[in-house]
Amino acid sequence: MKILTVGLGYIGLPTAITFALHGQEVVGVDKNQHVVEMLNNGKVHIEEPLLQEALQEVRKQQNLKAQLNVEPADVFIVAVPTPNCEDEYKGCDLTYVVDAVKNIVPYLQAGNTVIIESTISPRTTEDVVKPMIEKAGFEVGEDIFLVHCPERVLPGKVLYELVFNNRIIGGVTPACTKKGREIYGVFVQGELIEAKASTAELSKLMENTYRDVNIALANELVQIGAKLDIDALEVIRMANQHPRVNIHQPGPGVGGHCLAVDPYFIVAKAPEEAQLIQRARKVNSQMPHFVVEQVLDILEKHDGKTISILGLAYKGNIDDMRESPAVSIANQLRSMSGIEIRTYDPHVKEADTDSLEEVLQDSDIALILTDHDEFKELPENAVKVMKQRVLFDTRNCVVSDASFEEHYTLGNISAVKNAEQAL
Ligand code: SAJ
């Protein structure tokens, strides 16, 4: 089978490589010449465990080539970004998907399959993509098979989850679903779940929305705890011992290109109905501001001004800064007068410093915004160069805090306020 993937990003590249690893002839297409050149020189352009090794393997087998243009194939997979529109509800911007399909259509031949992997708003496969294929004279379900197969992989575990997660195969007709099953059956060892394209679209969006809403609940609990002087983290630990309760982990906000983006795609299609989803988005997107306020309170209490930000990526052990709450917090703090901030992230090149000692030197507070493994135990020799050994761990990820004199979390921040009131 010859498979052509359009988009060689966080999803398209691992997917292309996985098909190639399983013996398929794969052509990866991307409009970014630098990415194409890097891949053809044997280098991946994103940080993802085992991806570099996997690329080397498929290059050895000569199963994957990268290029700028589309060419004929049996299967076309679209894995391009779908950002938010800049409109009232931040709906799904389909520009890249539509462009990709436009580029593919001239190469389509009867018997081909078109798969949309990009996350799209509900009804897009049937209402937008299908008409584009029909306009070229094909009958969908007879000549061309059209499927929406959303990915569900977790950054950091992509190559494993691509193979072992259950996968939804949403065909526009039953014949389309059957084709989709055959194609993903090449490597998926999880269950292949048959669905209508529109059900698959909304299911994908609801999976991330479920998580976003639950994280919002945890973040709201933090604010309730701060007001009532009750440790929210303790409450979560306790409540989660109930067999049917799973309160998520609070944090400095929700980032990444999924949870902070996908819920709006639903909202834009049904704004009157999606009230809870909108409220949860608001709670999570206000968390960076809440954290900034706590940081200012802590600084005031300790009469300090220098902040060392540890972590810029949107979550631990990856280099992805898309929609990262850490970046928003850093920017908000940076814009304030009388405050000095420096950033450090061992996974991100854009940080101000590349050593822990350097970022902590003479600083008043170590502010952890990303739960990288490197931050779980901050070595004493790095902490001792701080002016004041104050830690604010918004991720609750530090396991050993012996080198610090004060250790704040999202569970005990009310202590700062109470101390101020007592003065
Ligand atoms: N976060 C919290 N508290 C939590 C869990 C996460 O604050 O209890 C934060 C993280 O720190 C991060 C954000 O939420 O800032 C999102 O992280 P994540 O690990 O929940 O999700 P993503 O965006 O990296 O990946 C998600 C996954 N979806 C689900 O788990 C339902 C993944 O399976 C999807 O494939 C991916 O979105 C996607 O592409 O849609």
CSV table of all heavy atoms in Angstrom, one decimal, residues 105-106 108 130-139:
chain,number,residue,atom,x,y,z
A,105,VAL,N,-7.1,16.3,-4.3
A,105,VAL,CA,-8.1,16.0,-5.2
A,105,VAL,C,-7.6,15.7,-6.7
A,105,VAL,O,-8.0,14.7,-7.3
A,105,VAL,CB,-9.3,17.0,-5.2
A,105,VAL,CG1,-10.2,16.9,-6.4
A,105,VAL,CG2,-10.1,16.8,-3.9
A,106,PRO,N,-6.7,16.6,-7.2
A,106,PRO,CA,-6.3,16.3,-8.6
A,106,PRO,C,-5.6,15.0,-8.8
A,106,PRO,O,-5.4,14.5,-9.9
A,106,PRO,CB,-5.3,17.5,-8.9
A,106,PRO,CG,-5.6,18.5,-7.9
A,106,PRO,CD,-6.1,17.8,-6.7
A,108,LEU,N,-6.5,12.1,-7.1
A,108,LEU,CA,-7.3,11.0,-6.7
A,108,LEU,C,-7.7,10.1,-7.9
A,108,LEU,O,-7.9,10.6,-9.0
A,108,LEU,CB,-8.6,11.5,-6.1
A,108,LEU,CG,-8.5,12.1,-4.7
A,108,LEU,CD1,-9.9,12.6,-4.2
A,108,LEU,CD2,-8.0,11.0,-3.7
A,130,LYS,N,-16.5,15.9,1.9
A,130,LYS,CA,-17.2,15.1,0.9
A,130,LYS,C,-17.6,15.9,-0.3
A,130,LYS,O,-17.3,15.4,-1.4
A,130,LYS,CB,-18.4,14.5,1.6
A,130,LYS,CG,-19.3,13.5,0.8
A,130,LYS,CD,-20.2,12.8,1.7
A,130,LYS,CE,-21.3,12.0,0.8
A,130,LYS,NZ,-22.6,12.7,0.8
A,131,PRO,N,-18.2,17.1,-0.2
A,131,PRO,CA,-18.6,17.8,-1.4
A,131,PRO,C,-17.3,18.2,-2.3
A,131,PRO,O,-17.5,18.2,-3.5
A,131,PRO,CB,-19.2,19.1,-0.8
A,131,PRO,CG,-19.6,18.8,0.5
A,131,PRO,CD,-18.7,17.8,1.1
A,132,MET,N,-16.2,18.4,-1.6
A,132,MET,CA,-15.0,18.7,-2.5
A,132,MET,C,-14.6,17.5,-3.3
A,132,MET,O,-14.2,17.7,-4.5
A,132,MET,CB,-13.8,19.1,-1.5
A,132,MET,CG,-14.0,20.4,-0.8
A,132,MET,SD,-12.6,20.7,0.4
A,132,MET,CE,-11.3,21.1,-0.8
A,133,ILE,N,-14.8,16.3,-2.8
A,133,ILE,CA,-14.4,15.1,-3.6
A,133,ILE,C,-15.5,14.8,-4.6
A,133,ILE,O,-15.1,14.5,-5.8
A,133,ILE,CB,-14.2,13.9,-2.6
A,133,ILE,CG1,-13.0,14.2,-1.7
A,133,ILE,CG2,-14.1,12.6,-3.4
A,133,ILE,CD1,-12.9,13.2,-0.6
A,134,GLU,N,-16.7,15.1,-4.3
A,134,GLU,CA,-17.8,14.8,-5.2
A,134,GLU,C,-17.7,15.8,-6.4
A,134,GLU,O,-18.0,15.5,-7.5
A,134,GLU,CB,-19.2,15.0,-4.5
A,134,GLU,CG,-19.5,13.8,-3.6
A,134,GLU,CD,-20.7,14.1,-2.7
A,134,GLU,OE1,-21.1,15.2,-2.5
A,134,GLU,OE2,-21.2,13.1,-2.2
A,135,LYS,N,-17.3,17.0,-6.1
A,135,LYS,CA,-17.2,18.1,-7.1
A,135,LYS,C,-16.2,17.6,-8.2
A,135,LYS,O,-16.3,18.0,-9.4
A,135,LYS,CB,-16.7,19.4,-6.5
A,135,LYS,CG,-17.2,20.6,-7.2
A,135,LYS,CD,-16.9,21.8,-6.4
A,135,LYS,CE,-16.5,22.9,-7.3
A,135,LYS,NZ,-15.7,24.0,-6.7
A,136,ALA,N,-15.2,16.7,-7.9
A,136,ALA,CA,-14.3,16.3,-8.9
A,136,ALA,C,-14.8,15.1,-9.6
A,136,ALA,O,-14.1,14.4,-10.4
A,136,ALA,CB,-13.0,15.9,-8.1
A,137,GLY,N,-16.1,14.7,-9.4
A,137,GLY,CA,-16.7,13.7,-10.2
A,137,GLY,C,-16.7,12.3,-9.6
A,137,GLY,O,-17.1,11.3,-10.2
A,138,PHE,N,-16.3,12.2,-8.3
A,138,PHE,CA,-16.3,10.9,-7.7
A,138,PHE,C,-17.5,10.7,-6.8
A,138,PHE,O,-18.1,11.6,-6.2
A,138,PHE,CB,-15.0,10.8,-6.8
A,138,PHE,CG,-13.8,10.8,-7.5
A,138,PHE,CD1,-12.9,11.9,-7.4
A,138,PHE,CD2,-13.3,9.8,-8.3
A,138,PHE,CE1,-11.7,12.0,-8.1
A,138,PHE,CE2,-12.1,9.8,-9.0
A,138,PHE,CZ,-11.3,10.9,-8.9
A,139,GLU,N,-17.9,9.4,-6.6
A,139,GLU,CA,-18.9,9.1,-5.6
A,139,GLU,C,-18.3,8.6,-4.4
A,139,GLU,O,-17.5,7.6,-4.4
A,139,GLU,CB,-19.9,8.1,-6.2
A,139,GLU,CG,-21.2,8.0,-5.3
A,139,GLU,CD,-22.3,7.2,-5.9
A,139,GLU,OE1,-22.3,7.1,-7.2
A,139,GLU,OE2,-23.0,6.6,-5.1
